[in-house]
Amino acid sequence: MKEFWSSLASLLGVLAFCQSILHAVFPPELRFAVLKLFKRLFNCSSYCYFDITEIDGVNTNELYNAVQLYLSSSASITGSRLSLTRALNSSSTTFGLSNNDSLVDTFNGVSVLWEHVVTQRQSQTFSWRPLPEEKRGFTLRIKKGDKHLILNSYLDYITEKANDIRRKNQERFLYTNSRGGSLDSRGHPWESVPFKHPSTFDTLAMDPTTKKEIMDDLRDFSNGQTFYQKTGRAWKRGYLLYGPPGTGKSSMIAAMANFLGYDVYDLELTEVHTNSELRKLLMKTSSKSIIVIEDIDCSINLGNRKKSNSGGRQGYDGTPHEMRGGGGAGAGEDGVNSITLSGLLNFTDGLWSCCGSERIFVFTTNHIEKLDPALLRSGRMDMHIFMSYCTFPALKILLQNYLGFSEPDMGLQIMEEIEAVIDKAQMTPADISEVLIKNRRHKDKALSELLEALRNMAERRKKENWRSAREKNSTEVEEEEQEKRALENPKQGCDEEFEESCKKEEEDDEEKLN
């Protein structure tokens, strides 16, 4: 028995020695080339091959980088030997195929084979741009019968997916126009800081049904390039967020940016002096971005024309030729901003709004009734989103975010009491979050104090509603009495109206003289 094991060990040693000699005589590159040639000889009638090298002459092949990024999304799941990379200022790790490894991919029901070919480069002559020591490339194997069906569309699909991956991995920025429309030394009117807002749709305290509708609309917009081109529409969309202060309008904007991976341009209208500066700012925004105008009813004087008594000239569509806003440093010649409503409408829905693609306009306001109807129509603000007071489903999200509560952890009795009073209290998510933050270490105390705060606010709302109803009734009674007196003594009513008109004319004459 000992002789058998000793002879087996000797045989294994001889085999290992022979294998080392074969590796020394036949390097991995040669073995890979022979294997590749062998495959092509036996499959020459069935497949065609396409080589995508890393460097095309002296220039970098962008298609190689696109394929590398695209395969990283598939290699992270199906690959057996992977390489890991992380780009500068990136928060995610990218997976890739290792040297001389292969991967099978499927597109439109057709299977293709990718091979990552890495070989040593031969000694190179003098060059102004030294080439890397290794020669890298991808080889795509497709059946000849499928080449005309998927080749062009497959490569376009790879490029598009690679751009999406690149955009999600790169650092995003928040821009502001603190200098108005003036340019810096590089010719940019925007100043930027890294965008690190943590708000997402998962953490957003909002009705789940409304939240899903918004997410589906954003997803359809992001994937709708073909649709917008087919219908002849500019690839942009407008959202109006309105509701009381503290209902999460800014958090909604951050969640939209994180969901799509877009940059955010926070446009401060009070820093813009003319319509031409507004156009310059729009031209300097990038695609795949969100342009935000917060509190549009407070930024400049762009109120509802139907409720305005101004007698200024109007355009053919009823838009005033000039609606001036509040003054500011560096404003127009008369010391005030001269942005017009028509200029803002052209900014959102005119020809200049089409100078980029895949952009979203978001407006916020606390008083939607103050906005001009021209701003509210479809094409400028396509989707109106009411940011309401905190509801019971939104409260569950806040309890999970701040206290770590799940459905089974919430006491049935206290949650029923909260559900019965929360709609009457009309508290904003910001107010409820403050109560939870103060007591986040004591969960039971947080719930009890929250219930007490809701009850107090509900009682206050009840008193306010009773007082407003009482004032309304007294006003209606007074008006009815005035109408009754006018009907009983019409002459006296006419005399009073005549005296009021005369008095008003005298006041107008005095103002003119002054």
Side-chain angles (χ1 to χ4, degrees):
M1 191 68 176
K2 292 182 179 180
E3 295 178 355
F4 171 76
W5 288 111
S6 60
S7 59
L8 180 61
S10 301
L11 180 61
L12 292 176
V14 172
L15 291 176
F17 178 73
C18 295
Q19 185 178 8
S20 61
I21 293 178
L22 288 175
H23 285 180
V25 177
F26 301 100
E29 295 83 359
L30 181 59
R31 295 200 308 273
F32 183 80
V34 172
L35 180 62
K36 186 175 180 180
L37 180 61
F38 180 79
K39 290 182 179 179
R40 290 191 179 185
L41 288 176
F42 283 89
N43 299 315
C44 60
S45 59
S46 302
Y47 297 96
C48 52
Y49 296 82
F50 302 91
D51 294 328
I52 302 174
T53 58
E54 180 182 16
I55 298 176
D56 183 14
V58 295
N59 299 320
T60 303
N61 189 356
E62 290 297 331
L63 187 56
Y64 173 86
N65 296 330
V67 172
Q68 190 175 36
L69 279 176
Y70 168 73
L71 293 180
S72 66
S73 60
S74 301
S76 61
I77 302 175
T78 61
S80 57
R81 184 178 180 87
L82 308 173
S83 62
L84 305 179
T85 57
R86 175 174 289 183
L88 183 65
N89 296 327
S90 176
S91 58
S92 60
T93 302
T94 302
F95 298 83
L97 285 175
S98 298
N99 298 347
N100 303 322
D101 202 355
S102 61
L103 175 69
V104 177
D105 189 30
T106 304
F107 178 73
N108 289 342
V110 177
S111 298
V112 299
L113 178 68
W114 285 99
E115 294 177 319
H116 190 205
V117 183
V118 181
T119 58
Q120 291 293 326
R121 192 181 297 275
Q122 298 179 355
S123 58
Q124 52 182 318
T125 58
F126 173 77
S127 175
W128 65 274
R129 180 184 177 184
L131 299 177
E133 296 181 356
E134 293 180 336
K135 185 178 180 181
R136 299 174 176 271
F138 287 101
T139 298
L140 172 62
R141 190 189 74 178
I142 304 177
K143 291 184 178 180
K144 289 185 176 180
D146 299 331
K147 182 181 71 172
H148 300 288
L149 297 177
I150 72 164
L151 182 59
N152 293 331
S153 58
Y154 184 44
L155 294 179
D156 293 339
Y157 172 77
I158 289 175
T159 304
E160 181 180 354
K161 294 293 291 184
N163 290 334
D164 292 340
I165 297 173
R166 190 180 292 111
R167 185 181 70 252
K168 292 179 180 179
N169 291 342
Q170 70 183 6
E171 187 177 21
R172 290 178 290 114
F173 290 93
L174 172 64
Y175 295 87
T176 181
N177 58 316
S178 58
R179 296 186 306 272
S182 58
L183 307 179
D184 59 7
S185 58
R186 297 175 299 171
H188 296 163
W190 297 93
E191 293 182 355
S192 63
V193 295
F195 183 74
K196 301 292 185 181
H197 201 292
S199 177
T200 63
F201 279 106
D202 293 333
T203 62
L204 195 64
M206 193 177 187
D207 182 69
T209 303
T210 305
K211 188 187 303 186
K212 185 179 182 304
E213 292 176 359
I214 298 171
M215 295 173 64
D216 292 341
D217 190 78
L218 291 171
R219 193 179 293 109
D220 291 340
F221 169 80
S222 179
N223 300 328
Q225 181 179 11
T226 304
F227 169 79
Y228 281 89
Q229 289 179 350
K230 182 177 67 175
T231 56
R233 294 173 59 94
W235 196 6
K236 62 182 182 62
R237 192 155 179 81
Y239 294 85
L240 173 65
L241 310 181
Y242 67 97
T247 51
K249 291 184 283 293
S250 298
S251 298
M252 169 65 76
I253 296 172
M256 294 168 67
N258 289 327
F259 180 73
L260 296 174
Y262 287 4
D263 293 331
V264 179
Y265 288 84
D266 186 12
L267 177 60
E268 183 60 50
L269 286 180
T270 57
E271 295 291 333
V272 186
H273 306 137
T274 62
N275 291 338
S276 60
E277 287 185 0
L278 193 62
R279 286 194 296 268
K280 290 178 183 177
L281 289 169
L282 177 65
M283 293 171 62
K284 292 296 182 177
T285 58
S286 62
S287 299
K288 300 181 183 297
S289 61
I290 299 177
I291 302 174
V292 180
I293 302 178
E294 293 193 274
D295 297 326
I296 187 174
D297 57 303
C298 303
S299 299
I300 55 177
N301 186 16
L302 295 176
N304 192 336
R305 297 192 307 271
K306 293 182 179 180
K307 297 183 179 181
S308 176
N309 295 324
S310 60
R313 294 182 298 143
Q314 297 183 350
Y316 69 92
D317 58 348
T319 303
H321 286 292
E322 188 171 13
M323 298 183 69
R324 299 187 179 276
E333 296 179 358
D334 54 354
V336 295
N337 294 352
S338 58
I339 299 177
T340 64
L341 179 59
S342 61
L344 183 61
L345 297 181
N346 288 330
F347 175 82
T348 58
D349 193 30
L351 292 176
W352 288 100
S353 66
C354 307
C355 61
S357 62
E358 200 171 349
R359 284 190 298 204
I360 291 176
F361 293 89
V362 178
F363 299 83
T364 69
T365 180
N366 297 332
H367 306 281
I368 189 175
E369 69 278 359
K370 294 183 179 180
L371 298 184
D372 193 283
L375 281 169
L376 301 178
R377 74 168 180 80
S378 299
R380 289 159 185 163
M381 298 182 185
D382 302 291
M383 191 173 185
H384 297 188
I385 303 172
F386 176 57
M387 308 297 293
S388 65
Y389 292 106
C390 189
T391 60
F392 188 67
L395 177 63
K396 292 181 179 180
I397 299 175
L398 291 177
L399 293 177
Q400 183 177 359
N401 293 340
Y402 290 95
L403 304 181
F405 274 152
S406 58
E407 286 282 351
D409 298 331
M410 303 176 186
L412 181 60
Q413 181 178 357
I414 191 171
M415 293 306 296
E416 288 179 351
E417 295 177 359
I418 290 176
E419 185 178 7
V421 75
I422 188 171
D423 292 335
K424 301 176 183 178
Q426 293 184 351
M427 289 184 65
T428 64
D431 294 333
I432 293 179
S433 299
E434 185 61 29
V435 176
L436 299 179
I437 288 175
K438 290 190 301 183
N439 303 282
R440 63 183 182 275
R441 297 180 182 176
H442 309 283
K443 298 181 179 180
D444 295 335
K445 182 181 178 181
L447 287 179
S448 60
E449 288 199 7
L450 175 61
L451 179 58
E452 185 66 22
L454 289 172
R455 286 173 175 172
N456 294 336
M457 183 60 69
E459 186 66 24
R460 187 185 305 175
R461 297 289 186 188
K462 182 179 179 180
K463 292 180 180 179
E464 291 176 356
N465 294 335
W466 179 81
R467 190 181 299 112
S468 61
R470 184 179 178 183
E471 293 175 355
K472 182 179 179 181
N473 291 334
S474 62
T475 303
E476 292 177 354
V477 170
E478 185 178 354
E479 291 178 354
E480 289 179 359
E481 290 180 354
Q482 290 179 356
E483 292 179 359
K484 186 177 181 181
R485 287 196 301 268
L487 292 174
E488 292 177 353
N489 194 354
K491 182 178 180 181
Q492 183 180 356
C494 294
D495 292 339
E496 291 178 356
E497 292 179 1
F498 179 74
E499 290 177 0
E500 290 180 359
S501 63
C502 293
K503 187 177 180 180
K504 186 176 180 182
E505 289 180 1
E506 291 177 359
E507 291 176 354
D508 294 341
D509 293 338
E510 289 180 2
E511 290 181 359
K512 291 180 180 179
L513 291 175
N514 292 332

